[in-house]
Amino acid sequence: MGGNAKGELKRTLSFKDLFFLSFGGMSPLLSILSYGAFAITLAGYDAPLVMIIGTLLVLINGVAVTQLSKRFTSSGGYYTYAFQTLSERLGFDTGWVYIFYSTLFGLAYLSGSVFIISTVFRINPYLVFAILMIPSIIFLMLGVKLSSKYALYAVAIEVSFMIAIVVYSLFLTHGRVYLPNPGIYHIGAGDFFLGILFAMGIPTGYGSITPVSGEVKDAKKTVGRSVIAVILGGGILATVMVYAISNLILQNHIIIPVNYQLPVIEILKNNFSRYGYIFYYGAAIATINDGILALLSFGAATSRTLFRMGYDKSFPSFFSFRIKDNPVIATAFTSIIFILIPLAMFHFISAEITFIVLGTISSLAGLFIHLITDSSLIRIGLRRGRRLIMRGANSFFSYFKYFDEFILAITGALISAVVLIYSAYSTVPYYTTIFLTWIVIGFILSEVKSIVTKTPYMPDVSKEGKIVAENLLKVSVGDALIPGNSCILRLSDTLKSAMEKMISKNVSAAIVVDSYSRAIGTLYLVDILLLPQYEIDNGKVYHMKIYKPVNINVNDDITDAVRLLKENTVPVLSVTDDSGKCIGMITERDVLLRIGSVQKPALD
């Protein structure tokens, strides 16, 4: 079977499944061995403070994603948010960049695992690559539910190992601890902010959650809770680990040689007494899980984004093909890309350099994704705030309450923009060029797609065409009105009934009339759908912002309706009689149906 008609996958993931799948995608231990090591190197004994700040900054964007996840529960995540709230083209561009981000981010952790395992055990990197890739592809092809089950047990074992490291490090320091304080442990401003940048790279596993929303039970609640839980859980665990290592370095006066390729893992080997080698090899083995978990988490996110873009025709529709609710073509394509990219890069550069290249470029792409996501919430929050203000008298503080989502999104956008600009400026120009080139290619493809899929208007100037045009001039707007198809609302109608009426009549907007049946505005279905459920259940039409209606007389020509729809870029027109009362509405579809019913004459 190719799948169901609804265009969605079966909802099988619980909060527990989603949490462990995305938490595993964060690659907890590998994050500490890489990003955490950079944070310690830059911030020194203030590294735990840097970790806390980085986690809080990530949390701001996470809360913004949570707000959007309550409104959109289908697959696609960030692509869907932009597609539904901004525009089809921005949706395509967002999906294009997200696929780039999630693919490279997952492969960055894979490369990091290959580097650590091949360095510690002195195994050929290609063999390590095969050991990691084969089970990952098998789990991906079998479905996200099975992947989440593997993630649950793998994460539980790895977190237990990390807790053991923390506890034993405290034993080695005889319980001595310290308080991070930039006033005591001096650090340059540049290193401090750069350390925050690396700290923000750790609790980012939540980036793989929203694309699988279509397979999550009770997605409106579960997705948001998972996002916050992963950020806080990952941030707290990373902070504790970084503090334990920093504390051990301080209390035991450990000197880290500059030639250490893996400073944290070398500390485990050389400074954990007689158990050092156990922790040393244990950490290396644990990174096997990290590599597999990253591929599972971000592989699922990539394939689900491809699936949704295929279903929406943003990408070729064959990506939406599924067997038993498994998007097999999207998953197979993702698996092939996951195999080819690292193999090609390992041929020219080492696994260590591959990790740095892919990690840096994907981080830039991730910041861009969050900037677009914040823009989606900015638009929703601004509309929501204006609508709430229109309800009546407001105090100064009520403005902050009404525009809370807008303020949150603006804050997240500013943080993402500043970090993105700073990162792009500070990193190797070659990496920034690759990132920007990918964005430009996406914009070009978006324009080409728009041109190719657009049906050109080819005027028929034949004798037959002229007769048809003359016949159209004899068709009035009243002839195009379809009985029972108009969606007319009053200010006192509930939002729930208004939404149900528009959906049942398959229209994207409705005409709002006053007590004298005069058209006073147009209400859009999307504005209702963007509201939280409790506002839909309790709100009235007069609570909403309605837009100025575009009227047309029932006796006007149908060609006038075409012109008004085009000039005003509206989906519906209010049809009025000679007294100015609204007697119905006409949509673009109604006009096309009436035009299509004009028969071409039989010519001799």
Side-chain angles (χ1 to χ4, degrees):
M1 294 271 311
N4 55 51
K6 296 181 180 179
E8 272 305 344
L9 306 173
K10 187 177 180 181
R11 296 186 181 275
T12 59
L13 297 178
S14 64
F15 169 80
K16 181 176 66 174
D17 297 327
L18 190 61
F19 172 79
F20 281 102
L21 181 64
S22 54
F23 193 89
M26 187 179 66
S27 298
L29 184 57
L30 183 56
S31 295
I32 300 301
L33 299 181
S34 53
Y35 292 110
F38 282 117
I40 293 173
T41 302
L42 291 166
Y45 303 126
D46 294 317
L49 181 61
V50 162
M51 293 299 306
I52 294 174
I53 296 173
T55 299
L56 292 177
L57 293 179
V58 171
L59 185 62
I60 293 174
N61 275 327
V63 175
V65 172
T66 297
Q67 296 303 108
L68 289 169
S69 70
K70 295 176 182 177
R71 294 176 168 90
F72 306 100
T73 59
S74 61
S75 299
Y78 300 97
Y79 154 75
T80 300
Y81 301 158
F83 186 89
Q84 296 288 350
T85 62
L86 298 176
S87 70
E88 183 178 346
R89 289 187 181 183
L90 274 176
F92 176 90
D93 296 330
T94 302
W96 175 259
V97 176
Y98 181 81
I99 290 170
F100 182 71
Y101 156 72
S102 58
T103 299
L104 298 193
F105 196 84
L107 291 179
Y109 277 127
L110 168 74
S111 303
S113 297
V114 170
F115 166 60
I116 291 174
I117 296 167
S118 60
T119 300
V120 171
F121 294 103
R122 302 189 183 281
I123 302 175
N124 186 288
Y126 289 99
L127 177 59
V128 178
F129 173 78
I131 293 173
L132 296 175
M133 186 59 68
I134 291 174
S136 301
I137 298 301
I138 293 174
F139 278 118
L140 269 180
M141 295 302 299
L142 290 177
V144 70
K145 181 68 175 180
L146 186 60
S147 298
S148 67
K149 294 300 180 185
Y150 169 80
L152 189 156
Y153 295 108
V155 168
I157 294 173
E158 186 165 330
V159 171
S160 299
F161 180 74
M162 294 173 71
I163 293 175
I165 292 176
V166 171
V167 172
Y168 194 66
S169 70
L170 291 174
F171 172 78
L172 292 174
T173 61
H174 304 289
R176 296 191 303 271
V177 294
Y178 79 104
L179 182 66
N181 186 346
I184 299 176
Y185 309 106
H186 299 289
I187 177 177
D191 288 340
F192 186 77
F193 285 106
L194 194 58
I196 291 175
L197 176 62
F198 281 107
M200 291 176 66
I202 295 180
T204 52
Y206 77 94
S208 64
I209 292 179
T210 58
V212 299
S213 297
E215 296 167 82
V216 178
K217 300 175 184 177
D218 193 14
K220 286 187 177 181
K221 296 180 180 178
T222 304
V223 171
R225 291 172 181 173
S226 299
V227 168
I228 301 302
V230 168
I231 294 174
L232 291 179
I236 292 172
L237 180 64
T239 301
V240 172
M241 271 289 293
V242 167
Y243 178 84
I245 299 299
S246 301
N247 185 57
L248 183 67
I249 294 172
L250 175 65
Q251 304 297 345
N252 290 9
H253 310 291
I254 297 173
I255 304 298
I256 303 176
V258 294
N259 62 338
Y260 274 3
Q261 288 181 302
L262 300 167
V264 174
I265 205 170
E266 291 290 345
I267 289 175
L268 297 180
K269 181 177 74 172
N270 298 322
N271 302 98
F272 268 54
S273 69
R274 63 179 180 275
Y275 299 109
Y277 276 94
I278 296 177
F279 284 103
Y280 176 71
Y281 289 112
I285 294 172
T287 58
I288 297 176
N289 266 336
D290 281 333
I292 295 174
L293 289 171
L295 289 178
L296 292 181
S297 181
F298 286 93
T302 301
S303 62
R304 270 53 182 182
T305 303
L306 281 170
F307 163 77
R308 190 67 205 184
M309 294 183 75
Y311 180 78
D312 291 337
K313 304 297 189 297
S314 295
F315 273 2
S317 58
F318 59 75
F319 281 116
S320 64
F321 179 80
R322 52 205 183 278
I323 298 176
K324 295 182 179 180
D325 288 305
N326 188 14
V328 289
I329 292 182
T331 304
F333 182 82
T334 300
S335 301
I336 292 172
I337 295 300
F338 274 22
I339 292 173
L340 294 180
I341 291 178
L343 283 180
M345 296 188 72
F346 290 166
H347 182 72
F348 297 99
I349 57 178
S350 67
E352 179 185 12
I353 301 301
T354 300
F355 167 74
I356 295 172
V357 172
L358 295 181
T360 304
I361 298 174
S362 62
S363 295
L364 295 174
L367 290 168
F368 178 85
I369 290 297
H370 285 101
L371 189 59
I372 297 296
T373 303
D374 290 326
S375 300
S376 297
L377 189 60
I378 286 172
R379 186 181 185 188
I380 293 175
L382 193 59
R383 283 185 174 184
R384 175 176 175 268
R386 288 174 175 173
R387 185 182 65 256
L388 292 174
I389 286 176
M390 292 172 63
R391 292 186 176 182
N394 303 286
S395 66
F396 175 77
F397 293 102
S398 65
Y399 281 86
F400 289 97
K401 181 179 179 181
Y402 295 161
F403 287 94
D404 56 351
E405 290 185 330
F406 174 76
I407 295 171
L408 171 68
I410 283 288
T411 303
L414 288 174
I415 293 172
S416 297
V418 170
V419 176
L420 176 60
I421 294 171
Y422 180 81
S423 302
Y425 177 78
S426 302
T427 191
V428 179
Y430 177 71
Y431 302 161
T432 304
T433 302
I434 294 175
F435 163 63
L436 294 176
T437 301
W438 185 263
I439 292 179
V440 171
I441 292 173
F443 278 113
I444 293 173
L445 288 177
S446 178
E447 291 297 322
V448 171
K449 174 180 173 293
S450 177
I451 295 171
V452 171
T453 58
K454 195 175 190 180
T455 303
Y457 174 65
M458 299 295 292
D460 186 353
V461 294
S462 65
K463 182 178 180 181
E464 180 183 7
K466 291 178 181 179
I467 296 175
V468 171
E470 290 174 358
N471 288 341
L472 283 176
L473 294 175
K474 301 175 183 178
V475 179
S476 69
V477 170
D479 295 330
L481 278 177
I482 300 176
N485 196 47
S486 296
C487 189
I488 309 299
L489 304 174
R490 296 191 178 275
L491 289 171
S492 58
D493 289 345
T494 65
L495 292 181
K496 187 173 183 180
S497 65
M499 178 183 69
E500 291 173 349
K501 187 180 292 186
M502 282 188 271
I503 292 175
S504 66
K505 295 181 182 296
N506 194 26
V507 293
S508 60
I511 300 298
V512 182
V513 299
D514 59 15
S515 58
Y516 298 101
S517 295
R518 293 189 180 92
I520 58 175
T522 303
L523 176 63
Y524 288 87
L525 176 61
V526 66
D527 287 342
I528 301 178
L529 295 176
L530 291 175
L531 297 174
Q533 187 62 44
Y534 72 89
E535 290 192 22
I536 295 176
D537 293 336
N538 301 310
K540 297 291 184 70
V541 171
Y542 64 77
H543 290 149
M544 301 293 293
K545 179 180 180 180
I546 56 177
Y547 298 84
K548 183 179 179 180
V550 180
N551 299 319
I552 188 169
N553 189 273
V554 67
N555 298 314
D556 287 346
D557 294 334
I558 193 71
T559 53
D560 292 327
V562 174
R563 177 178 55 79
L564 287 174
L565 287 167
K566 178 73 174 177
E567 290 178 353
N568 295 279
T569 60
V570 291
V572 298
L573 299 176
S574 168
V575 180
T576 62
D577 59 16
D578 292 333
S579 66
K581 290 185 178 181
C582 178
I583 60 173
M585 74 178 204
I586 187 170
T587 67
E588 183 179 2
R589 184 174 64 248
D590 299 333
V591 173
L592 292 175
L593 287 173
R594 187 65 186 90
I595 292 175
S597 67
V598 176
Q599 298 295 323
K600 292 184 178 181
L603 299 178
D604 295 332

